[in-house]
Amino acid sequence: MKNFTIIIFGLFLLVSSIFAQDNSNKKLLAKKINKEINIDGEIEQIWFSADSVSDYTQFRPYYGKAPTEKTVARVLFSNDALYVLIISYDKAGVTQYKTGMLDDTECDFVSIMLDTFNDKRTAYKFAVSSTGWRIDARMLNDGRGRDYSWDGIWFAAAKQYDWGYAVEMKIPFKSIKYDEKASSWGLDFDRWILAKTEDIYWCKYSEHEGLRISKFGKLMFENDAAPEIESLNLELYPVALAKTEMTENGKYKTSPHIGFDALYNPSPALTLALTINPDFAQIEADPFKHNISRYETYFSERRTFFIEGTEIFEPEGGNYEPLDLFYSRRIGKKLPNGDEVPLILGGKFYGRKSGWEYGALVAATGEKNYSIYDNEYNEPKSLFGVARVKKQILENSTLGGLVVAANDKNGSNIAFDIDGSVRGSDWQINYQFAESFTDSTNGFGGSFGVNKFASTWGAMIKGKYIGDKFNVDKIGFVPWKGTGNLVAVAGPRWFFKSGSIKEMFFYGGGYLNYEEVDDYTDRGLAFGGQVNFRKLMGIGFESIYGKAKDKDVIYNMFQFSGNIWMHFSPKWGLFAYVAYSKTYNFYRDYLGNYLTGVVRGSYLVLHSLEVGASANAWTEINPNGEIEDVTLNARPFISLIPVNNLKIRVFTDHVFSVSSDRQERFFVGFYFAYNFKPKSWIYFTYNELQERENYETAFPSMKTVSRDATIKIKYLYYF
């Protein structure tokens, strides 16, 4: 068996290397300068001394073809920064010029991507729109993933000309991490032309794989002069906040608040972060979610302190479902009555060196008393800790470990895992083995995935097991105790050189799903597919049929889901999703049918004004085939960006129940956000939530549950 595994692994490597694109001849020399360049979009004389590249190639819509527009990129560097000029010609006059905010992507833009550690797995992406707003991200897992929550300190400007537009960037070396000994970095450039749905790269990649950091070209520093910086590398963020909110007796109180954040980089291999007395003042409320399962609803993290550096604390991404041992929303969590547990102090460090990645986080929350229907409850003081280490192995693979812990007066909750990945350019193996300890009880859980997506076929197998005693309820999100599942699918794949269809993939396979609470293994068959068009449009579907058991009821289970998305015009976009299933409704406690529909759309009225809405519908059908209830959720919005990095947004959230023929929930939100310099913001928000009450009366009324207004200023001091 061992020899067989070695043979299969070797064949994977051989096949991947045969079909790999070679960009080893792609090199750009960065010449050193002794002056600072003014970042304004003007093409100064000094740029003509720089080395340049213009041999881009199309990735879409017509793979491998020459670009329809010429693009030229130039790079220079000084003692303290990297300078980039990208000239985008536009003879067709189709460039979209619109205002935007940090990390908006709905516009023409150009970018540079830098593998500063030459690890062939991770990179920085710096992009600038045709009107000058910035987009930055960390690229992960050899280009398979993006983390747009990363925000760097860098500067950019764009200027429009008769022939197109030019973008200048300044990326201070002290604002990024890199290998101090490296005299070259991995490099690629990208240009996106929205009206033509044209995506072009300097490097060439296999069509069935997509962008791969491991296939970047090289940025060579003149005379092998590696970047050198000497500065304190300290970021200080004093935060001032004033919040007015309605109390339980209908009166209002205003509370001033002062917090402090700090980020310190003593070396390119280490970052230290600290937050004291934070108030996260969430800008937009969590969306309404309808849940008929027996498990808790998951909500994503939005707080900056926990988002930054998350790549260190998470297992490697892939087509599998790793266990969330660390769920940061447990820290300073929202209580059943809507209050939040106060976060007193948080600190973390993370970094990388010589193929190692490492990080740790600690946080302390305060005690909170709260009431629900005149019943008093107490959330005790808690201490949380997370530690992570990861090692790069076999060129582009990883092996890591994670430890998480939470402790309060009621006990402790600890878990650890071993996880990692083995990957080639078009295949990947992921694995995770975890054990939890709660007081004197321990439990086991694990997950794995294997996938291969070649030019003519694709296959995936993934599985997960969670023991009935596996418990990370205080620090993680793994509510599916006593369960296990296995899914395997495969099918053909086609790429088309011409015509309206760009790619098609169809698959079939089977699944097993065991739940100890039912003492039964659900099983069945799955069939699905996806069609991607050359224009920005795609269609996908999936159907599942099998046997299932819930609450002592064995039944023929059926599910079908389909989606369509389109963005034919720079002015509008649309997404629609529908799903039908015969399943057990744990909210109603019966076997019935469940229908879900989602529609989201937006329209750009002006270059600075966008309107849109999302609509959700959940239909519950009882065993007699009658509609039990239909829950409708509408979320319209208006977004105004009069100038770059200043945004005004108004939205409402409505929940309507057909059975009561009344609106059950109403939320209105307003916010003003201005990013007046890197990592420095002014916010103003207003939120109001109303819910229906007094159902014993003939005409139950809406009651204002919460109302608040907040002004917040966060300013960066950078040393």
Side-chain angles (χ1 to χ4, degrees), residues 652-655 663-668 688-691 702:
T652 59
D653 192 310
H654 309 258
V655 178
Q663 182 170 254
E664 303 294 330
R665 180 179 184 266
F666 172 75
F667 184 92
V668 60
E688 180 175 328
L689 173 63
Q690 297 179 9
E691 293 182 344
M702 295 285 285

Side-chain angles (χ1 to χ4, degrees), residues 465-484:
Y465 170 76
I466 303 166
D468 61 341
K469 292 182 173 54
F470 188 83
N471 184 351
V472 290
D473 291 349
K474 288 187 177 182
I475 187 64
F477 187 90
V478 188
W480 313 279
K481 299 178 180 65
T483 66

Side-chain angles (χ1 to χ4, degrees), residues 10-23:
L11 287 174
F12 264 132
L13 292 175
L14 178 61
V15 172
S16 298
S17 63
I18 290 174
F19 294 100
Q21 294 291 336
D22 183 12
N23 293 308

Side-chain angles (χ1 to χ4, degrees), residues 449-470:
V450 181
N451 68 77
K452 166 82 173 178
F453 288 96
S455 58
T456 58
W457 62 278
M460 178 191 70
I461 180 170
K462 65 179 180 179
K464 182 165 58 176
Y465 170 76
I466 303 166
D468 61 341
K469 292 182 173 54
F470 188 83

